[in-house]
Amino acid sequence: MLSFPCALKWKYWSSFSFVMLVDLCTLMKRFYSSSVSEDLGCRRGEFSRKHYGSVELLISSDADGAIQRAGRFRVENGSSGENTDSTPGTWHRTDVHLENPEYHTRWYFKYFLGKVHQNYIGTDAEKNPFFLSVVLSDQNNQRIPQYHSILWRKTGTQKICLPYSPTKTLSVKSILSAMSLDKFEKSPREIFHPEIQKDLLVLEEQEGSVNFKFGVLYAKDGQLTDDEMFSNETGSESFQRFLHLLGDTITLKGWSGYRGGLDTKNDTTGTCSIYTVFQGHEIMFHVSTMLPYSRENKQQVERKRHIGNDIVTIVFQEGEESSPVFKPSMIRSHFTHIFALVRYNKQNDSYRLKIFSEESVPLFGPPLPSPPVFTNHQEFRDFVLVKLINGEKATLETPTFSQKRQRTLDMLIRSLYQDMMPDLHKFKRSVILKDCNPNALKLKTTVKGDTTANLATTSFCKKEPWESQSFCSNFPHEVVCADSWGQSLLVSTDAGILLIDDGQPSVQVFDKTLQIKQMNVLEALDLLIARTDKGKESRILVFRLSAVQKDIETKKVIRSKYDCRENKLERTKGCHLYAINTHHGSELRIVVAIRNKLTSLLSSPESPVEEFQYIREICLSDPPVVMTLVDGPTGDSDNMICVAYRHQFDLVNESTGESYRLHHVETNRVNFVAAIDVYEDGEAGLLLCYNYICQYRKIYPFSGGSPLVQPSAYDFHFSWNQVPYAVVCAFPYVLAFTTDSIEIRLVVNGNLVHTAVVPELQLVASRSDIYFKATAAVSGPSDSSKEMGSKSSPQTPTAYEKPEFPLPSLEGEVPCKNLYKIPLSNLVGRSIERPLKSPLAPKVITTTTSSGITSLPVMHSLSLSRMEIKEIASRTRKELLGLLDEPITKTESAPKLKKVSRRQSDPKQGAVRSSSSDR
């Protein structure tokens, strides 16, 4: 047995067994606060649906005191208890993103139309027709060929990416199998009909809104009915400033852009309106004071005809906070599902926001800050537009809209199937692009307003939180596993165990005779836990971090496999997997998998002997592929182990060894990825990741010896676009890592916010900061609406579309691979205290200035001569003044070339850019 100290506090969990979330508030109630708990809480996140409001029964009365129609709405007002005293305007957030962005939903328009691709038709086992579209494309011009596939069915469309292999042919049946469609009534047949592209565009239009129309209703102080609000002929000065903030005033007559149902020929819906373009989406606002007003019609039917049929309506209400507040029951509309209440405060020039969402609308972000007060008007505009666009997209998933869309899609697919089947043999492949001009079709679709066509984005370029930094350039070794140690990285490679720090030479800790396959660095416990080798000789090793650090500082002989015999943990021989409890106040639990047996070990300072104690052995039917420890709410005989094997996820009671079925995967092939424990308001849940699926299952406390794992209203699931090999949670995000991309979604609803293309990607560590290895970065265009051309010629490449390929490597040269880091503080939106210094922290050189204040550490910079700096400054000045038409002298061009070479040699310039907004 290996002895351990009494003072056990917290632990960091394994980056190799994937990262998990927990409610920070719940943890702090259960355990004491420390810098380590702060790091853990930030890592797992404050996951609570309370941030998105609570459902309330809203009742209001009219001016005569009569009770108006009641409705159930989710009310978001930004209040979250202890945070209500925050200073307005001082909040900083990272999660203001469009969810399910347009450039990922309109796949057929983006990847297929105008390119050689294949379309297939068939019927499934229930005789329901389906269509399949497949194209081989180069993702974002990054020289990463991929198959993009769309399956059109009555239940909706399914989109996946499949890797391209020049040596392995991809069949249609294998693609359908990846989409969980294995049985057919009729095998798929290829379609050569030239009109199929138009028909598939019609199917894609059923997915939802691309351009938006939002209502804007002006309400004076004290107005309680919709008749009073719609009867306002003009708005106040603050209302006009608010309209100017939303967009531009345009003349409707002759308007050629998106019109949002307004008359652009005869001025029957007013002469002017408010219009804007936000991140590629055209938005037309139906402003109540700009729509036609009738003195004879008290109900103002013409105004209600537009605003009452908008899914989202902004209500600008005058008056003080103490005046009667607006409620959705004041508006008689069965179509409007979301109301955004805006109030302006003249005293501090700020806006206050409140959101009402009909209870059937799924959760959508971003959550309101606390308090929901915005002193920065530009940030307020961006927040409101993102919130409203996400809200309308979420509303389209409600039963009211989804059932109609499903019926329409089913009817269109069946009609198209009946038209196509008799004529399949009449057409040849060569007529697809000959008889149907895809460029004209794409232009027609763009002009009609069915797809994004503008380059306009937000008014400011913000840095996305997932943008990476270069950590170590030209890393020559193969990485097996790693874990962060302070600001450093402990890496298991083919050359041994190395300790790496940014800007510092790597230090070898163990030689290559010790092959570590899985590791955990537990800084608060002064422990390094590792799993070595494979097969019968596998073992769990336990080291003191302080002893390892002392060896590094004293530069003793590098340890080998034979020097670690005293560090072996008993009863772990032959293990192929292990897991550690995610948090603990007084104990550290390790569950080791040895074939189909689980061995539970415990270390507690309360035990008479300070050591890992053998608890019990649990037998499973098969060896586990994925294993996660789920902490019970009481910590007393209710801890669970989630294991994945065969076609199922099971929950095992750690005390009794009894297993319970959690989820069965209904498919022929299962690729288990992860089981991530998520604590929502202190209650456990699991994100089960397999194949393309990520499913959330809420777990209730044990009842009668068994956990309650039946489906509940809190459960949800979503599909990745590619099969990930690793999934990482960093609230509010969940990141999926594939061989060439990072897919970033929101934890609360699974909605996609970004896909970053990273060639030859390998996740290295993710306990705190996320480290990954990739080839030299390629700064090509990312998936954004900027990829679309101008309105006049959507096919014309722009500066954002021009592919930037990496420089061709010399013959026999191995591609350069670097290590990159995504800081956790960027993802979670706040600073994180590190429990310990990095073992390789450079010495801080301080100098005392004339004012007596100690300066910052000395940093190295590029070494440029005075003449070079002067010439670069001269050229920059000419660029700003537009004087570059004159010939460039040799003295001006030389520094530029030299600067480029320095930039290529600087590892900081090699950071992977996942967004094109900076460009």
Side-chain angles (χ1 to χ4, degrees), residues 826-838:
N826 292 351
L827 292 170
V828 301
R830 55 175 166 167
S831 61
I832 298 171
E833 299 178 15
R834 297 297 178 189
L836 293 175
K837 287 184 181 180
S838 167

Side-chain angles (χ1 to χ4, degrees), residues 468-471 473 772 774-778 818-820 903-913:
S468 59
Q469 304 171 359
S470 177
F471 182 74
S473 59
F772 63 89
T775 56
V778 182
N818 304 329
L819 290 177
Y820 300 96
R903 183 178 298 170
Q904 292 173 349
S905 63
D906 184 11
K908 294 295 183 184
Q909 299 293 336
V912 173
R913 291 279 180 175

